[in-house]
Amino acid sequence: MMRFGKLGIMVLVLALMTALVVGCGTADQGDKDAAKDKAEEFKVGFIYIGAPGDAGWTYAHDQGRIYLEEKIPEVKTMTLEYVPEGGDAERSIEQLAQEGCKVIIANSFGYGDPILEVAKRYPDITFLHCSGLKTDTNVSTYFGRIYQARYLSGIVAGSMTKNNKIGYAAAYPIPEVVRGINAFTLGVRSVNPDATVKVVWALTWVDAAKEKAAAESLIDAKCDVLAQHADTPAVQQAAEEAGILSIGYNSDMSKFAPNANLTSPVWNWGPYYVRAIQAVMDGTWKSEEYWGGVEDGIVDLAPISDKVPANVKQLVADKKADIIDGKWDVFTGPVKDQSGAVKVPEAQKMTDAEMLSFEWFVEGVEGTIPK
Amino acid sequence: MELSALVPFLAAAIVAGTPILFAAVGEVMAERSGILNLGVEGMMLVGAVMGFMITIVTGNHWTGIIAAMAGGGLMALIHAFITVTLKGNQVVSGLALTIFGTGVSGFLGKSYQGMPTADPFTPCVVPLLSDIPVLGPILFKQDVLVYISIILALGFWFLLYRTSWGLTIRSAGENPAAADAVGISVSRVRYLCTIIGGIMAGLGGAYLSLAYVPSWQENLTAGRGWIAVALVIFALWNPLRAIAGAYLFGGVEALAFRLQTAGIQISSFFLSMLPYLLTILVLVLVTVRLRQEAGAPLALGVPYDREER
């Protein structure tokens, strides 16, 4: 028995070694093939905070990635999902750099410093950082004026409410979210000056149960249209169950609430990615702080439900055309705050800096910004 | 708050408390037999994702419920094997299972994220009883899992305090050596109770993914498993008090949003902190109280080894 055991082990070791040799041989061959492809393909790496399956933020970015691959056939993309924000992200970004990516795209605010670190070590690689603040010679930031799409969705909500009470389940009291609530409310009141928007802070981006509870508290407060600034479709599902109406966010959420959902402000990153990558390939790319709006198609409204009358759809289309033509933007005066005081005088526009640091609600919002 | 606002608030409190109730009653059973299970959060997540996936595949939520029970139960079986058979450290095993459950549920559910449920549980109105003013809409217009959670809590209370099986379970948790001496298999009792605990945690998770939300998101439970563990202490290891405690905790969660819609000026950060503040307060109070009268099973967390009697 003992002898057989030893023999068995020897056979096993031999088999393993053979497998290793054969395996390595194949790997070498694979590397050569890959090297041959590298000459033709242009690698773009994506760092994701979540996964495309979230139906929200990362999903929208991944749609952009797919669009990019379709539009520029030479581009080959690779993705890293669930990359934690902060210092540890440096490893993941570095990994993509070493894999030969010529452009690296990161889709969350917290990747800022790691990107700048890696960018210093790889001056030949271009970095695009979504919602970031800091740029460098080879680092751009990019974001979209989703508030424009929120204003348009507000027109829909304001036209469809019967109680004149609209609920808004919001994630965190930060300028980005406050700006969205304000734009939405201005949209609502542009068609329905009697309507108010009731805000509830869920204090989470991704706790579906809490978001649902927040939505239900708004339903109990007699709101008949719900909007959301949160990443899960829980608010839509609550509206569907209660038989009321809703406005989604991030991507077209009508599939979660076919009866309730009227439309959703959506992100459409594809065209931006195509433009930026094409510029890098042509050698015309320059570092910038990009904040595009509906004119670039980076933000938009998902198809509006058939429940919405044609004249409302027309109104939305007209307003959208005005924004695209540059005739008008959402925060054009007069804009009043909750106390009725005029914050933006007639015919004046808020500057980007003012919009990026919003910390007051416009007239018509019911709720407070916790300090 | 007026009565008209109170009814939906209390109904919401019950719904928010139900996932915690399932898990907490299960944990009471495990701890009563002497096994501390800190893996509840992970077991809830595994239950939630298994229940959701199987419901999508089969299109029937009851098969999902069975899958959730199996998922939670299997996780608990691992815990029982480590802590009862191998006599390993219960805290370490539980924490490891929570981390494992978080990871494995995220992995399994990756392609199911954000999908609508195929066959969610919907409220079923109990005829006649639901017409009772105030109480009717609060208690008798809920989904069937709410009723099941209450029945299970009552049933396990009866089992623990009114049957000889309950005595057996409690003796394994209070004085396993004495239990062993009268011929009780401490290992078998602890295995059984730990697995019951896991099954209940799985049910609590499935309540979130199949009835409350209902869909799957990574880390769907968001700390509710830990609240359940704290609730066991709050309830002084009694399933009946766990019912009250679960609805109290659920009530605080529901209240946070309702005060906001009522326009009451309290910072929402403060409100969202309340459930956790309550947990800490209860822990302090109970610990102070326990110095005088025993509430926790005496042998809780201590592996039983016949040789070391």
Side-chain angles (χ1 to χ4, degrees):
Chain A
M1 277 309 276
M2 203 54 202
R3 276 175 63 96
F4 180 76
K6 275 184 186 161
L7 196 74
I9 289 169
M10 274 175 69
V11 168
L12 203 73
V13 168
L14 261 171
L16 270 171
M17 276 170 67
T18 320
L20 259 170
V21 170
V22 172
C24 290
T26 332
D28 275 343
Q29 194 58 42
D31 275 357
K32 272 176 205 150
D33 286 345
K36 215 172 82 190
D37 285 344
K38 257 177 209 160
E40 293 140 29
E41 71 186 27
F42 187 90
K43 275 195 185 173
V44 177
F46 286 77
I47 301 273
Y48 287 158
I49 183 78
D54 65 3
W57 182 249
T58 297
Y59 172 81
H61 281 272
D62 204 56
Q63 293 297 305
R65 181 188 66 82
I66 293 164
Y67 181 85
L68 171 67
E69 277 200 333
E70 278 167 10
K71 291 286 161 184
I72 312 180
E74 300 93 302
V75 167
K76 288 284 167 296
T77 60
M78 49 203 307
T79 60
L80 291 180
E81 297 169 3
Y82 290 116
V83 177
E85 296 185 317
D88 202 33
E90 209 174 307
R91 241 171 353 101
S92 307
I93 300 164
E94 178 106 35
Q95 186 193 331
L96 287 183
Q98 283 175 354
E99 299 261 4
C101 291
K102 303 232 173 58
V103 179
I104 294 174
I105 296 169
N107 81 341
S108 191
F109 175 79
Y111 298 137
D113 291 330
I115 285 177
L116 293 173
E117 280 302 311
V118 181
K120 273 190 209 114
R121 292 199 288 272
Y122 294 89
D124 297 335
I125 297 176
T126 305
F127 295 84
L128 307 177
H129 180 205
C130 185
S131 75
L133 295 176
K134 291 179 218 158
T135 59
D136 203 340
T137 46
N138 58 337
V139 182
S140 269
T141 57
Y142 68 99
F143 208 39
R145 297 174 190 267
I146 194 78
Y147 68 86
Q148 295 173 337
R150 286 200 187 277
Y151 178 92
L152 300 176
S153 73
I155 296 176
V156 176
S159 312
M160 297 300 284
T161 177
K162 292 194 179 72
N163 298 350
N164 290 339
K165 277 189 182 172
I166 294 167
Y168 199 112
Y172 283 99
I174 56 172
E176 180 196 339
V177 178
V178 172
R179 186 167 64 240
I181 294 166
N182 284 341
F184 178 78
T185 307
L186 290 177
V188 165
R189 289 169 66 100
S190 72
V191 291
N192 187 347
D194 298 328
T196 54
V197 176
K198 204 181 251 300
V199 174
V200 167
W201 299 105
L203 301 183
T204 172
W205 287 113
V206 283
D207 184 341
K210 252 193 185 157
E211 286 162 26
K212 178 110 186 259
E216 278 169 353
S217 71
L218 290 165
I219 294 166
D220 290 339
K222 305 278 180 284
C223 296
D224 62 354
V225 184
L226 298 187
Q228 69 175 71
H229 195 151
D231 286 354
T232 81
V235 173
Q236 308 300 310
Q237 285 159 338
E240 182 84 7
E241 277 169 29
I244 60 167
L245 302 171
S246 66
I247 307 276
Y249 176 51
N250 275 325
S251 63
D252 186 348
M253 284 190 167
S254 57
K255 60 177 179 286
F256 301 109
N259 299 308
N261 184 274
L262 296 173
T263 184
S264 311
V266 295
W267 293 101
N268 188 10
W269 303 105
Y272 169 75
Y273 288 154
V274 169
R275 264 199 317 280
I277 300 319
Q278 193 65 55
V280 175
M281 292 169 92
D282 298 344
T284 56
W285 182 88
K286 276 195 183 61
S287 171
E288 61 175 346
E289 291 174 51
Y290 174 79
W291 201 23
V294 287
E295 73 283 359
D296 281 358
I298 193 164
V299 295
D300 208 346
L301 266 194
I304 300 175
S305 155
D306 292 334
K307 284 188 176 162
V308 179
N311 62 330
V312 176
K313 285 184 185 172
Q314 188 56 47
L315 193 62
V316 170
D318 292 347
K319 273 289 176 195
K320 190 172 154 185
D322 283 351
I323 299 173
I324 291 172
D325 295 344
K327 280 188 206 156
W328 178 87
D329 196 18
V330 172
F331 296 104
T332 305
V335 179
K336 291 180 188 164
D337 70 5
Q338 277 175 309
S339 69
V342 177
K343 285 283 214 176
V344 184
E346 182 84 40
Q348 259 186 39
K349 268 189 202 173
M350 279 179 88
T351 64
D352 283 0
E354 283 168 342
M355 278 192 268
L356 286 168
S357 60
F358 244 127
E359 45 190 31
W360 49 273
F361 277 144
V362 300
E363 193 176 36
V365 178
E366 274 182 25
T368 51
I369 302 172
K371 291 286 187 291
Chain B
M1 218 182 280
E2 310 155 35
L3 195 65
S4 61
L6 204 62
V7 168
F9 160 63
L10 291 176
I14 287 180
V15 173
T18 298
I20 318 172
L21 178 60
F22 273 119
V25 170
E27 181 71 3
V28 166
M29 294 304 287
E31 292 195 13
R32 273 289 172 199
S33 79
I35 297 292
L36 176 70
N37 178 7
L38 295 183
V40 177
E41 174 87 357
M43 292 171 195
M44 283 179 84
L45 280 168
V46 168
V49 78
M50 294 276 286
F52 188 77
M53 284 163 51
I54 298 301
T55 304
I56 292 272
V57 171
T58 63
N60 180 313
H61 53 227
W62 290 110
T63 57
I65 286 292
I66 291 166
M69 290 165 66
L74 269 176
M75 292 273 288
L77 182 65
I78 301 174
H79 187 61
F81 177 72
I82 293 169
T83 58
V84 179
T85 305
L86 303 181
K87 302 182 175 55
N89 185 313
Q90 299 181 5
V91 173
V92 174
S93 168
L95 289 175
L97 282 171
T98 283
I99 297 166
F100 171 69
T102 311
V104 81
S105 64
F107 173 71
L108 288 175
K110 220 172 154 190
S111 52
Y112 292 88
Q113 286 221 43
M115 266 169 83
T117 316
D119 183 21
F121 284 92
T122 47
C124 61
V125 178
V126 182
L128 296 178
L129 289 176
S130 59
D131 296 331
I132 305 171
V134 186
L135 272 186
I138 296 172
L139 282 176
F140 299 109
K141 283 185 182 172
Q142 304 281 13
D143 53 79
V144 66
L145 290 177
V146 170
Y147 309 132
I148 290 177
S149 70
I150 298 172
I151 292 167
L152 282 176
L154 294 173
F156 280 125
W157 171 81
F158 188 81
L159 180 78
L160 274 180
Y161 293 103
R162 293 290 183 272
T163 67
S164 62
W165 288 350
L167 200 61
T168 303
I169 292 169
R170 284 184 291 142
S171 64
E174 296 289 349
N175 192 340
D180 195 10
V182 297
I184 293 167
S185 168
V186 175
S187 299
R188 193 183 301 162
V189 169
R190 288 186 166 183
Y191 254 94
L192 203 66
C193 289
T194 308
I195 292 169
I196 289 173
I199 290 173
M200 294 291 284
L203 275 174
Y207 184 75
L208 286 170
S209 68
L210 294 179
Y212 188 15
V213 174
S215 70
W216 166 252
Q217 295 287 334
E218 202 188 304
N219 200 16
L220 180 74
T221 52
R224 286 173 182 82
W226 294 110
I227 299 246
V229 173
L231 184 61
V232 172
I233 304 165
F234 180 90
L236 296 173
W237 294 269
N238 180 330
L240 280 191
R241 290 203 202 97
I243 301 181
Y247 295 157
L248 183 67
F249 278 57
V252 174
E253 188 178 309
L255 185 70
F257 298 119
R258 269 144 233 278
L259 287 181
Q260 286 188 55
T261 55
I264 293 165
Q265 305 276 335
I266 301 176
S267 169
S268 33
F269 285 113
F270 177 79
L271 292 174
S272 70
M273 176 188 86
L274 272 183
Y276 304 96
L277 192 69
L278 206 64
T279 307
I280 296 168
L281 259 176
V282 166
L283 274 171
V284 171
L285 287 176
V286 167
T287 318
V288 170
R289 217 181 129 184
L290 284 189
R291 296 240 168 86
Q292 288 110 33
E293 54 178 280
L298 281 175
L300 177 60
V302 185
Y304 175 61
D305 192 342
R306 186 179 267 178
E307 305 296 314
E308 284 176 10
R309 255 197 293 174

